[in-house]
Amino acid sequence: AQSVAQPEDQVNVAEGNPLTVKCTYSVSGNPYLFWYVQYPNRGLQFLLKYITGDNLVKGSYGFEAEFNKSQTSFHLKKPSALVSDSALYFCAVRVLSGGYNKLIFGAGTRLAVHP
Amino acid sequence: GAVVSQHPSWVICKSGTSVKIECRSLDFQATTMFWYRQFPKQSLMLMATSNEGSKATYEQGVEKDKFLINHASLTLSTLTVTSAHPEDSSFYICSARFAAIGETQYFGPGTRLLVL
């Protein structure tokens, strides 16, 4: 079955420290992978995506993600966390189902950055 | 980036009434729009996919007659929750995609529905 897993419900990190939010996937074919962020009572904001090309993808707000085919992972990273990065982060993978491309989302990881 | 709006941002209604939620792509023409539902502290659940001018494709377990979706133009899709009941209370989020600009879906800010 095609799926996305975010193994951590919550990640805590001190401001200024590097952060990693983990994501692994299981899909057939080449994966299209996405990271979105959600602030309270808001929709999702697009951060970055991997379609093809360099395994290290740079996105919005200083975030980046590394695609690792052998480990089927697409972990989100940032060198220096900010308190304002505290939010809910979703990893997603595109799948083809019923003739349509659609996204399957992970369960989400809550990132808490402490001053 | 592409902007998607939703209206209303929140709505309270009585049980048995119908509620319409609008989703608009403001600066691009969306060939495909998606409707999601999100329960507290949970991930997004895809309800349906709609392409402009054609009938929506509903996910398994989603009642077509309860959640009416209309995608009348390339910039507007509506979700109508018919005869709403308290269990329909949720956060509804739409997204839009324009194939020519890639696979990325751009999300609206969401609509919180509370059915009393």
Side-chain angles (χ1 to χ4, degrees):
Chain A
Q2 302 184 101
S3 63
V4 177
Q6 292 181 243
E8 303 154 315
D9 290 336
Q10 178 151 335
V11 170
N12 296 297
V13 67
E15 187 175 29
N17 283 0
L19 69 87
T20 299
V21 183
K22 296 179 180 178
C23 172
T24 59
Y25 63 90
S26 175
V27 295
S28 53
N30 294 320
Y32 285 22
L33 296 156
F34 303 81
W35 274 102
Y36 288 87
V37 59
Q38 185 180 31
Y39 293 96
N41 298 309
R42 300 300 305 275
L44 275 64
Q45 294 180 29
F46 169 71
L47 282 179
L48 50 79
K49 66 181 176 184
Y50 172 82
I51 305 295
T52 186
D54 289 341
N55 289 342
L56 185 63
V57 179
K58 294 188 182 297
S60 305
Y61 312 118
F63 285 93
E64 57 188 31
E66 186 168 10
F67 170 64
N68 188 316
K69 188 174 183 178
S70 63
Q71 296 184 3
T72 61
S73 67
F74 189 56
H75 300 332
L76 181 70
K77 300 180 180 182
K78 187 173 182 180
S80 178
L82 300 172
V83 173
S84 57
D85 292 330
S86 299
L88 188 57
Y89 289 81
F90 290 100
C91 180
V93 65
R94 188 202 73 168
V95 299
L96 179 63
S97 176
Y100 291 96
N101 288 324
K102 59 185 181 183
L103 294 180
I104 293 179
F105 286 86
T109 298
R110 187 164 300 281
L111 173 66
V113 182
H114 305 285
Chain B
V3 179
V4 177
S5 69
Q6 271 183 253
H7 178 79
S9 56
W10 62 279
V11 58
I12 301 174
C13 69
K14 293 181 178 179
S15 185
T17 61
S18 294
V19 175
K20 180 184 284 188
I21 303 170
E22 293 187 348
C23 176
R24 294 181 185 273
S25 57
L26 299 184
D27 52 1
F28 68 104
Q29 293 183 322
T31 47
T32 307
M33 286 186 166
F34 304 83
W35 286 96
Y36 295 84
R37 186 172 178 178
Q38 185 180 31
F39 292 101
K41 299 185 179 181
Q42 293 189 27
S43 189
L44 280 72
M45 180 193 79
L46 179 64
M47 300 174 66
T49 302
S50 73
N51 291 294
E52 185 266 339
S54 61
K55 291 183 179 180
T57 300
Y58 289 80
E59 294 298 301
Q60 192 172 5
V62 178
E63 299 176 58
K64 301 179 183 180
D65 295 332
K66 179 147 190 76
F67 299 100
L68 301 179
I69 292 172
N70 183 281
H71 192 164
S73 76
L74 285 173
T75 59
L76 175 63
S77 177
T78 60
L79 167 68
T80 300
V81 183
T82 61
S83 186
H85 288 93
E87 59 265 30
D88 298 324
S89 299
S90 191
F91 193 51
Y92 293 88
I93 308 175
C94 73
S95 71
R97 183 175 69 93
F98 179 45
I101 61 173
E103 294 290 335
T104 304
Q105 289 183 29
Y106 294 93
F107 286 79
T111 297
R112 186 161 299 283
L113 171 64
L114 177 60
V115 184
L116 301 177

